[in-house]
Amino acid sequence: DIWEAVAGVEQVLEQAHCRINNASLSLAEAVKALLHLARSADRNVACDMPEWQASEPRFVELIQAIRELIRATAEPSLLSQMFWSLGRLNANSGDVATMLEHLAAEFQPPALVRFTSVQLSDTLLGLGRIADKSSCCRPPAKRIARLILVESLGHLSSFSPHSLAGAIWAVAKLRLAAVGMAGTFAKTCVAQLCREGYIGKLSSHSLATSLWAVARLRLDTREVSSLCSAVAREVELKSLRSFNSVELCISMWALAKMIRKCARRREASRSQPQSSRPCHGAAASDSASAILVALTDEAFRRNDGEFEPQTLTNISWALTTLELTGHAGKASLAAAMNSQGGSPGHVSADSAISVGGPAAAAGPASTWVAEASRPAVSSGGAYWASTPPA
């Protein structure tokens, strides 16, 4: 590997530039260069486009070289590393869109049989991040993702808990409606995630993003009930102290949205007494409410200064939506918002908050988490990470 001896962004870009000029850069070397750049991205901030990338012609040159070299028939390891790295670097330029269009036209289901479960997961994560930030990249990314979903469906039993959480998040970020194949895939992911011991293995990051994705996808109350019951069963109250303010906010918003939806469906089922479909709304609401109260207790156990105005507003929306305004922490919330010049106004459930993705490791034995200093609003990502391909 020619990149093993190369350290830092500048060295990687310069080495790649020289090999492109000498017409000696292979596809494998180009993807490895991209992977090294992704791994060297700042790990202490949200995974937005690195400062050097926007105005770095050598990076644009590298993307263009990959665009010319990549084919849908390339080795699965190279394809998954490329998609993961593009997502990690938030690369969604016109060149990336063109490359995705070509790949979407070339991809055939038989080629995906060669992908391992890890490679399928990495590819899906990368596509989710790319599509989230770019309207021009989203259509081809969604076409490729649909093929990935079909192939991944038969591999979900071998997905790790973090990969399952990432898969659900990616479907939500790709803005795929939870119907047809996408719906079957998301529901199966939830079912697998609810297996004994799986939820307990998730980090606070992955758990928060899973709750957000299920709420965002508006899955049926059956899936909501299963997930909330698994969370209530496996997540110890003391572990909530590992949640940062963003994760608490995301989880509370997601649970409030799910409970509200379950209540509406329960009311609708009451108006149709002849319906033969079982109603899981009550069980889902009870489990989610218990978790939400515990999260609320944890939120107000902390110093008020830990929460930024937007985070406080989103928490206020969750409490108000569920008529938990009598909670002992509500007064603390109001005082905190007043001290920061905010107001507990209404925030749309659909636009209140969004989240980036699951936690992950940056290599075989090391841990890497990219955290944000503030929650994301609308469709932005608060933080995002995944397991870098080997």
Side-chain angles (χ1 to χ4, degrees), residues 252 255-260 288-289 292 316-325:
M252 292 174 70
L255 288 165
K257 187 170 183 181
M258 286 190 282
I259 292 171
R260 188 174 69 166
S289 295
L292 183 58
S316 176
W317 176 85
L319 296 180
T320 302
T321 296
L322 300 179
E323 299 180 353
L324 290 175
T325 52

Side-chain angles (χ1 to χ4, degrees), residues 286-298:
D286 290 344
S287 297
S289 295
I291 303 166
L292 183 58
V293 170
L295 287 167
T296 303
D297 290 338
E298 176 60 26

Side-chain angles (χ1 to χ4, degrees), residues 333-356:
L333 171 66
M337 296 190 74
N338 288 334
S339 69
Q340 296 191 30
S343 61
H346 173 73
V347 179
S348 164
D350 290 322
S351 64
I353 193 166
S354 172
V355 64

Side-chain angles (χ1 to χ4, degrees), residues 16-28:
H17 172 68
C18 291
R19 296 183 76 83
I20 289 172
N21 283 345
N22 295 332
S24 60
L25 186 71
S26 67
L27 174 60

Side-chain angles (χ1 to χ4, degrees), residues 55 104 226 304 357:
S55 58
S226 297
D304 292 338

